[in-house]
Amino acid sequence: WEKSCWLSSLRLEQEESIMGISRDSKHKRRLTGGKQPLFRMKRKFELGRQPAMTKIGPKLVRPVRVRGGNIKIRGLRLETGNYSWGSETVTRKTRILGVVYNASNNELVRTNTLVKGCIVQIDATPFKAWHLQHYGIELGKKKVGDDEAESAKRSKHVLAKVAGRAKNHTLDKTLEEEFLSGRLYARVSSRPGQSGRCDGYVLEGKELEFYKRALQKKKKSGK
């Protein structure tokens, strides 16, 4: 009887290894370290799929039919996304330049793989253009020049409105330094392998300082 039980458990383990990726927890050990008894086979609703491993490049997405007849969009290559500047409540579509940090795996940074939660660098140009239009101040300029050409195109009413906005407006110093380089740090909040989009938000304040420290630490350690 013991031998037959051992053979049946061995057969189940072999079938599990053949069947592929599973998202169940029946095959895992308990918190105490004990093995859980195999009381049933795998189920269709527990299946898993290969990771998308979304790269940076010209847009390439594929529809995947999933449970319930629903469709997921598998992003294989993406190069743009909608990024939100939280403190200014503005969102712009911009280009993704590269992955710079991933808390889970450095290999995903080396291969420029886009996943939820990774830190990327994005093009600052759309946000610069919006800031100039809204506040009349051009970000990323080392020398502050006069904007006579810009002022000539606007009426006195519009100029007064823009000046009123800029009067009490302050910008985070750390973020202002990022605009000088023309690149902003942002965090991906969408799931490229599930929705086929790579959207997120611009890092600022304490969060930006935290990730800049993490990048400096990583650079010093040589990883």
Side-chain angles (χ1 to χ4, degrees):
W1 181 79
E2 288 180 358
K3 190 177 180 180
S4 64
C5 285
W6 177 78
L7 285 170
S8 62
S9 65
L10 183 64
R11 191 177 73 253
L12 284 171
E13 285 177 11
Q14 286 174 344
E15 285 176 359
E16 279 187 352
S17 63
I18 292 164
M19 282 176 73
I21 301 167
S22 177
R23 298 182 68 249
D24 71 311
S25 58
K26 305 298 176 189
H27 65 283
K28 292 188 175 182
R29 288 174 179 262
R30 292 193 179 95
L31 188 64
T32 54
K35 282 189 174 181
Q36 296 193 66
L38 294 167
F39 62 91
R40 66 170 168 81
M41 301 295 288
K42 288 186 178 182
R43 295 291 184 263
K44 172 77 171 168
F45 56 77
E46 293 172 344
L47 70 80
R49 296 181 182 87
Q50 293 291 336
M53 305 300 281
T54 311
K55 306 296 180 191
I56 296 174
K59 186 177 179 180
L60 178 67
V61 296
R62 291 284 182 267
V64 180
R65 195 267 187 195
V66 294
R67 185 173 164 85
N70 296 309
I71 299 291
K72 284 184 180 180
I73 305 298
R74 183 81 75 237
L76 302 178
R77 286 200 307 266
L78 296 168
E79 60 181 353
T80 58
N82 292 336
Y83 285 85
S84 172
W85 185 357
S87 61
E88 298 293 342
T89 326
V90 64
T91 302
R92 288 291 179 270
K93 183 180 179 179
T94 186
R95 202 159 47 92
I96 302 162
L97 304 173
V99 181
V100 292
Y101 185 77
N102 192 313
S104 64
N105 192 350
N106 283 332
E107 189 69 12
L108 299 178
V109 178
R110 189 184 68 80
T111 55
N112 267 339
T113 305
L114 298 169
V115 294
K116 182 179 177 177
C118 72
I119 306 303
V120 295
Q121 277 193 323
I122 59 172
D123 185 17
T125 308
F127 295 103
K128 281 183 183 178
W130 174 84
H131 198 275
L132 178 61
Q133 182 198 6
H134 196 72
Y135 293 110
I137 301 166
E138 189 172 352
L139 295 171
K141 285 181 76 174
K142 291 183 180 178
K143 291 181 181 178
V144 180
D146 54 345
D147 298 331
E148 288 178 7
E150 185 66 28
S151 302
K153 296 175 187 175
R154 295 184 171 192
S155 65
K156 289 181 180 179
H157 171 72
V158 173
L159 288 172
K161 189 164 69 171
V162 168
R165 286 178 192 150
K167 188 177 179 182
N168 299 318
H169 176 252
T170 55
L171 187 66
D172 184 20
K173 292 290 181 186
T174 318
L175 190 60
E176 198 170 353
E177 289 169 11
E178 298 303 315
F179 274 105
L180 286 169
S181 66
R183 293 168 172 237
L184 299 175
Y185 288 112
R187 189 173 191 268
V188 176
S189 57
S190 67
R191 302 172 71 191
Q194 307 288 317
S195 63
R197 300 180 63 86
C198 191
D199 302 335
Y201 59 90
V202 175
L203 295 178
E204 49 188 331
K206 295 286 183 184
E207 195 174 9
L208 176 59
E209 289 171 16
F210 170 80
Y211 282 113
K212 286 196 86 171
R213 281 198 305 270
L215 286 165
Q216 286 293 329
K217 191 178 177 182
K218 184 181 166 186
K219 196 174 180 181
K220 284 180 182 176
S221 64
K223 289 183 180 178

